[in-house]
Amino acid sequence: MTVPGGTPSLKILWLNQEPEIQVRRLDTLLACFNLSSSREELQAVESPFQAFCCLLIYLFVQVDTLCLEDLHAFIAQALCLQGKSTSQLVNLQPDYINSRAVQLGSLLVRGLTTLVLVNSACGFPWKMSDFMPWNVFDGKLFHQKYLQSEKGYAVEVLLEQNRSRLTKFHNLKAVVCKACMKENRRITGRVHWGSHHAGRWGRQGSGSHRTGSGYSRSGQGQPWRDQGPGSRQYEHDQWRRY
């Protein structure tokens, strides 16, 4: 990986208390996810959503089958979670269980686990609380938002008609989409997914390659990613299966 100033040693990351080392810690974490070019955008995101956006960018760049509706559901549930009580979350009852939504939720939590480990290895450039699922993710709430987004509900409905959330929603969405565009990954709606996906498979000269289990950039495939909904085994049936 490429880290500004060179890859620091673990001794520096873990034991050095000089203020400028904290900058190198963050540089190293972002380099692990190949997101160094998005440093400025991520730093502008408020806590606890920096780590969340970092993970979303990585997933959407790596997994071609993720679409705009998925992004809307991920962001909407994270924002709505902030205003939910425990009893409200317990009493949530999705209309039905969608297997793809379950898999996407699992993929995100596995990604958060990976982020926790990377953040620890890099000397904690971000607060550990930002990675805790209960601050940015709830399975049933995500399921509800996923079903609504899949049906084409407006963003205002996903955000439960809360105007303050709407501004945050568009800011977080812009950060993710802008960072993905830097990697030549345009996040499209499901109606455009078929042609977009075909174009991505056929794109040349981007430093990308296909692996046996999915699509990833060269040398950056992750075992926890390869089993997710972006894997090659799901492509034949596209969305109808879910």
Side-chain angles (χ1 to χ4, degrees):
M1 62 184 183
T2 303
V3 182
T7 303
S9 67
L10 292 179
K11 183 178 180 180
I12 290 176
L13 291 175
W14 293 356
L15 303 179
N16 196 311
Q17 301 301 318
E18 295 178 10
E20 61 270 17
I21 298 302
Q22 191 68 2
V23 174
R24 297 195 68 186
R25 291 185 179 113
L26 179 58
D27 287 339
T28 305
L29 181 146
L30 294 178
C32 289
F33 294 92
N34 198 38
L35 294 177
S36 299
S37 62
S38 301
R39 191 184 200 283
E40 185 178 340
E41 290 85 351
L42 287 170
Q43 281 193 303
V45 176
E46 64 184 49
S47 178
F49 300 114
Q50 283 183 328
F52 183 68
C53 282
C54 174
L55 178 58
L56 287 181
I57 294 166
Y58 180 78
L59 290 178
F60 274 80
V61 169
Q62 293 289 331
V63 185
D64 274 14
T65 53
L66 293 175
C67 63
L68 197 60
E69 289 81 2
D70 300 329
L71 180 61
H72 288 177
F74 277 129
I75 297 177
Q77 68 82 31
L79 291 174
C80 291
L81 180 60
Q82 308 300 309
K84 298 288 185 184
S85 66
T86 302
S87 59
Q88 286 176 311
L89 294 173
V90 169
N91 292 325
L92 275 178
Q93 295 296 329
D95 294 337
Y96 59 92
I97 303 300
N98 181 294
S99 62
R100 186 173 182 275
V102 174
Q103 291 185 35
L104 290 183
S106 174
L107 182 65
L108 186 83
V109 173
R110 284 154 60 198
L112 286 172
T113 302
T114 302
L115 262 175
V116 167
L117 299 176
V118 174
N119 190 58
S120 176
C122 293
F124 304 99
W126 283 334
K127 295 185 298 182
M128 286 299 289
S129 60
D130 290 353
F131 300 88
M132 297 300 102
W134 48 85
N135 285 330
V136 293
F137 183 79
D138 178 83
K140 286 199 294 184
L141 183 59
F142 171 71
H143 218 99
Q144 181 190 72
K145 302 305 177 185
Y146 176 91
L147 295 178
Q148 291 175 343
S149 184
E150 185 183 47
K151 293 174 182 176
Y153 283 27
V155 171
E156 289 79 6
V157 176
L158 297 181
L159 299 174
E160 301 170 3
Q161 308 298 335
N162 186 307
R163 290 192 175 185
S164 64
R165 291 175 189 158
L166 187 61
T167 300
K168 293 180 180 179
F169 176 91
H170 286 299
N171 288 340
L172 295 179
K173 178 182 175 181
V175 168
V176 175
C177 290
K178 181 179 180 180
C180 287
M181 284 298 292
K182 289 182 179 180
E183 299 297 326
N184 203 22
R185 165 68 156 106
R186 181 170 175 262
I187 304 174
T188 61
R190 193 164 298 179
V191 66
H192 303 298
W193 182 84
S195 60
H196 167 68
H197 189 66
R200 286 273 289 169
W201 283 119
R203 192 179 69 227
Q204 300 293 326
S206 62
S208 302
H209 78 292
R210 285 160 57 181
T211 65
S213 59
Y215 178 90
S216 71
R217 290 195 304 253
S218 179
Q220 295 169 36
Q222 300 289 343
W224 55 266
R225 181 195 66 80
D226 290 341
Q227 300 171 12
S231 298
R232 182 66 171 170
Q233 60 185 317
Y234 298 99
E235 183 196 4
H236 72 280
D237 208 11
Q238 296 184 0
W239 301 107
R240 184 170 53 185
R241 178 174 177 178
Y242 302 123

